[in-house]
PDB file of all heavy atoms in Angstrom:
ATOM      1  N   LYS A  59      18.136  42.148 -46.116  1.00  0.00           N
ATOM      2  CA  LYS A  59      18.458  41.780 -44.747  1.00  0.00           C
ATOM      3  C   LYS A  59      17.212  41.249 -44.013  1.00  0.00           C
ATOM      4  O   LYS A  59      17.262  40.247 -43.335  1.00  0.00           O
ATOM      5  CB  LYS A  59      19.029  42.957 -43.954  1.00  0.00           C
ATOM      6  CG  LYS A  59      20.440  43.360 -44.355  1.00  0.00           C
ATOM      7  CD  LYS A  59      20.876  44.562 -43.532  1.00  0.00           C
ATOM      8  CE  LYS A  59      22.204  45.065 -43.930  1.00  0.00           C
ATOM      9  NZ  LYS A  59      22.598  46.249 -43.147  1.00  0.00           N
ATOM     10  N   ALA A  60      16.095  41.938 -44.205  1.00  0.00           N
ATOM     11  CA  ALA A  60      14.839  41.534 -43.574  1.00  0.00           C
ATOM     12  C   ALA A  60      14.401  40.137 -44.062  1.00  0.00           C
ATOM     13  O   ALA A  60      13.977  39.310 -43.252  1.00  0.00           O
ATOM     14  CB  ALA A  60      13.741  42.556 -43.842  1.00  0.00           C
ATOM     15  N   ALA A  61      14.481  39.917 -45.335  1.00  0.00           N
ATOM     16  CA  ALA A  61      14.119  38.614 -45.887  1.00  0.00           C
ATOM     17  C   ALA A  61      15.002  37.506 -45.345  1.00  0.00           C
ATOM     18  O   ALA A  61      14.507  36.421 -45.013  1.00  0.00           O
ATOM     19  CB  ALA A  61      14.191  38.651 -47.423  1.00  0.00           C
ATOM     20  N   SER A  62      16.287  37.772 -45.186  1.00  0.00           N
ATOM     21  CA  SER A  62      17.206  36.793 -44.612  1.00  0.00           C
ATOM     22  C   SER A  62      16.868  36.517 -43.155  1.00  0.00           C
ATOM     23  O   SER A  62      16.882  35.354 -42.719  1.00  0.00           O
ATOM     24  CB  SER A  62      18.648  37.273 -44.724  1.00  0.00           C
ATOM     25  OG  SER A  62      19.030  37.399 -46.070  1.00  0.00           O
ATOM     26  N   LEU A  63      16.556  37.552 -42.407  1.00  0.00           N
ATOM     27  CA  LEU A  63      16.173  37.392 -40.997  1.00  0.00           C
ATOM     28  C   LEU A  63      14.882  36.595 -40.854  1.00  0.00           C
ATOM     29  O   LEU A  63      14.731  35.808 -39.940  1.00  0.00           O
ATOM     30  CB  LEU A  63      16.070  38.734 -40.320  1.00  0.00           C
ATOM     31  CG  LEU A  63      17.414  39.407 -39.986  1.00  0.00           C
ATOM     32  CD1 LEU A  63      17.221  40.857 -39.645  1.00  0.00           C
ATOM     33  CD2 LEU A  63      18.072  38.654 -38.816  1.00  0.00           C
ATOM     34  N   LEU A  64      13.947  36.819 -41.767  1.00  0.00           N
ATOM     35  CA  LEU A  64      12.683  36.076 -41.702  1.00  0.00           C
ATOM     36  C   LEU A  64      12.923  34.571 -42.053  1.00  0.00           C
ATOM     37  O   LEU A  64      12.272  33.720 -41.469  1.00  0.00           O
ATOM     38  CB  LEU A  64      11.646  36.667 -42.637  1.00  0.00           C
ATOM     39  CG  LEU A  64      11.004  37.945 -42.104  1.00  0.00           C
ATOM     40  CD1 LEU A  64      10.041  38.538 -43.123  1.00  0.00           C
ATOM     41  CD2 LEU A  64      10.326  37.686 -40.781  1.00  0.00           C
ATOM     42  N   THR A  65      13.852  34.327 -42.948  1.00  0.00           N
ATOM     43  CA  THR A  65      14.191  32.926 -43.208  1.00  0.00           C
ATOM     44  C   THR A  65      14.804  32.296 -41.961  1.00  0.00           C
ATOM     45  O   THR A  65      14.468  31.162 -41.603  1.00  0.00           O
ATOM     46  CB  THR A  65      15.200  32.842 -44.385  1.00  0.00           C
ATOM     47  OG1 THR A  65      14.593  33.439 -45.539  1.00  0.00           O
ATOM     48  CG2 THR A  65      15.605  31.435 -44.679  1.00  0.00           C
ATOM     49  N   ALA A  66      15.679  33.026 -41.279  1.00  0.00           N
ATOM     50  CA  ALA A  66      16.261  32.524 -40.028  1.00  0.00           C
ATOM     51  C   ALA A  66      15.189  32.324 -38.963  1.00  0.00           C
ATOM     52  O   ALA A  66      15.190  31.312 -38.242  1.00  0.00           O
ATOM     53  CB  ALA A  66      17.335  33.502 -39.531  1.00  0.00           C
ATOM     54  N   ALA A  67      14.230  33.256 -38.884  1.00  0.00           N
ATOM     55  CA  ALA A  67      13.165  33.127 -37.887  1.00  0.00           C
ATOM     56  C   ALA A  67      12.293  31.914 -38.177  1.00  0.00           C
ATOM     57  O   ALA A  67      11.910  31.194 -37.256  1.00  0.00           O
ATOM     58  CB  ALA A  67      12.298  34.403 -37.876  1.00  0.00           C
ATOM     59  N   LYS A  68      12.003  31.667 -39.449  1.00  0.00           N
ATOM     60  CA  LYS A  68      11.224  30.495 -39.815  1.00  0.00           C
ATOM     61  C   LYS A  68      11.969  29.198 -39.439  1.00  0.00           C
ATOM     62  O   LYS A  68      11.379  28.249 -38.981  1.00  0.00           O
ATOM     63  CB  LYS A  68      10.899  30.542 -41.297  1.00  0.00           C
ATOM     64  CG  LYS A  68       9.837  29.638 -41.714  1.00  0.00           C
ATOM     65  CD  LYS A  68       8.494  30.072 -41.197  1.00  0.00           C
ATOM     66  CE  LYS A  68       7.409  29.189 -41.748  1.00  0.00           C
ATOM     67  NZ  LYS A  68       6.149  29.302 -40.996  1.00  0.00           N
TER      68      LYS A  68
END
Side-chain angles (χ1 to χ4, degrees):
K59 287 179 184 178
S62 297
L63 284 165
L64 284 177
T65 300
K68 195 69 175 164

